[in-house]
Amino acid sequence: KMSATTVLHSGVTIKQPPPPSQTNNNHNNHHQRTQSQHSAANDVLKLFTNPLPLDAIFRPKSVALIGASEKIGSVGRTVLWNLLSSPFGGTIYPVNRNPLRRSVFGIKSY
């Protein structure tokens, strides 16, 4: 049997079942084709559930923000505010050089 393959834009190759035979309507052939289709769907699903090499950069679980501040107009305040108001959902570690400042926007600073 020959099987066709499809290459997704991400470079992943997925095996697809061969086209159904017009002369063979065997139940087992249909069952095998269905399993192959499920396998291809699972392969695509794994792309979104398995960690990829750059996930640590583009989907971090935590961020240390050096220069975090509450000073209006500072880059540290803007970046911290954007992290807090976005759907990031990870842990944020504000790092501030002022030893008297124990928190920034209510988050313990380091």
Side-chain angles (χ1 to χ4, degrees):
K1 293 181 180 179
M2 296 197 77
S3 64
T5 58
T6 300
V7 178
L8 299 177
H9 64 83
S10 61
V12 174
T13 303
I14 299 175
K15 295 179 183 176
Q16 293 183 344
S21 173
Q22 295 177 353
T23 59
N24 186 358
N25 292 329
N26 189 346
H27 176 72
N28 289 336
N29 187 22
H30 172 71
H31 183 66
Q32 289 173 349
R33 193 171 63 247
T34 303
Q35 285 179 337
S36 295
Q37 289 170 342
H38 288 297
S39 176
N42 287 336
D43 290 344
V44 172
L45 183 60
K46 287 178 186 177
L47 290 174
F48 299 103
T49 57
N50 290 342
L52 298 173
L54 295 177
D55 276 356
I57 294 172
F58 294 110
R59 293 186 202 177
K61 294 179 182 174
S62 60
V63 171
L65 177 61
I66 299 171
S69 170
E70 290 184 8
K71 182 180 175 186
I72 295 174
S74 70
V75 174
R77 176 188 171 108
T78 303
V79 173
L80 182 59
W81 183 255
N82 288 337
L83 283 170
L84 291 172
S85 59
S86 73
F88 167 61
T91 306
I92 301 169
Y93 297 99
V95 178
N96 189 315
R97 67 180 182 173
N98 185 348
L100 299 176
R101 171 132 347 240
R102 296 178 190 240
S103 67
V104 179
F105 289 126
I107 303 170
K108 180 183 174 185
S109 64
Y110 299 89

